[in-house]
Amino acid sequence: MERIVLYQGDITEMHVDAIVNAANKSLLGGGGVDGAIHRAAGPKLLDECKKLDGCETGKAKITEAYRLACRYVIHAVGPVWYGGKNNEEEMLASAYRNSLQLAADKKLESIAFPNISTGVYRFPKKLAAEIAIKTVRAFLDKESSLEQLFFCVFDDENFEIYEGLLS
Ligand code: APR
């Protein structure tokens, strides 16, 4: 069975063990998928996030999911794109890797990623997709507990990019 699945839709509705949030360093919510996840989870998510004391770029922290359909939310902080000379590629790979590691530490079986950094943070979508797929494949090669990994794309552009790269 293919462990990597492309899915187009709203990540807040996914019945997986963990969904990943494209958060900012404050972990206090925002717009985009961060806003959607906090709206769907309810105010208790923000209460828990307030206790986490933020998160560095490239790293991730895990919380409960409250009213969401999933069990956990992994808040990953991707890099803002400043043109590619600011270690953005490594920071994006690190955000995916650290999210996967948190899921593996809890022996989770399924996880869904949004297209981290490709919205407000303006990371080029195709490059981000290449980094995401390469990082995930390398991790899945050495990690067994994760049985299904969903790339949850929201817009058609990202769907086409991932469909092309994954086929
Ligand atoms: N489900 C899945 N994907 C979504 C959803 C949703 N409900 N809503 C938006 N997206 C997609 C966007 O279309 C984009 O492809 O998530 C991707 C990431 O875009 P952003 O949410 O803008 O995240 P990012 O570019 O990483 O910027 C993070 O934005 O919302 C703020 O607080 C957040 O400051 C942080 C910054």
Side-chain angles (χ1 to χ4, degrees):
M1 171 197 64
E2 173 58 62
R3 292 169 77 186
I4 294 177
V5 179
L6 179 58
Y7 168 81
Q8 180 167 18
D10 182 343
I11 201 166
T12 66
E13 294 169 359
M14 294 185 77
H15 291 251
V16 287
D17 286 339
I19 62 172
V20 177
N21 180 22
N24 60 56
K25 288 165 73 172
S26 75
L27 294 185
L28 300 180
V33 69
D34 196 4
I37 287 172
H38 275 274
R39 263 192 309 282
K44 287 198 166 77
L45 178 60
L46 183 58
D47 292 343
E48 184 175 357
C49 285
K50 281 176 181 168
K51 296 179 189 136
L52 296 178
D53 191 28
C55 183
E56 280 312 301
T57 300
K59 297 204 181 316
K61 291 190 177 179
I62 191 165
T63 66
E64 300 294 326
Y66 304 101
R67 294 194 200 133
L68 286 160
C70 59
R71 292 171 57 204
Y72 298 99
V73 180
I74 293 172
H75 304 265
V77 181
V80 178
W81 180 258
Y82 289 115
K85 302 207 175 357
N86 203 18
N87 206 23
E88 293 98 324
E89 292 187 39
E90 178 43 40
M91 283 292 106
L92 185 63
S94 166
Y96 278 90
R97 207 177 301 121
N98 284 315
S99 301
L100 289 163
Q101 192 53 58
L102 284 172
D105 293 349
K106 281 201 178 291
K107 301 267 179 283
L108 303 186
E109 292 172 0
S110 58
I111 186 171
F113 281 98
N115 306 126
I116 300 170
S117 286
T118 66
V120 166
Y121 283 2
R122 298 187 330 279
F123 204 109
K125 296 184 180 191
K126 188 149 188 324
L127 178 58
E130 288 161 352
I131 292 167
I133 292 167
K134 187 162 136 267
T135 306
V136 158
R137 281 184 168 151
F139 193 91
L140 291 181
D141 282 351
K142 66 176 179 55
E143 178 58 50
S144 57
S145 74
L146 277 166
E147 282 164 19
Q148 272 213 303
L149 184 139
F150 294 87
F151 281 119
C152 175
V153 294
F154 201 55
D155 53 68
D156 294 341
E157 187 184 358
N158 270 312
F159 182 80
E160 258 110 66
I161 290 169
Y162 274 82
E163 195 178 43
L165 290 172
L166 289 171
S167 60

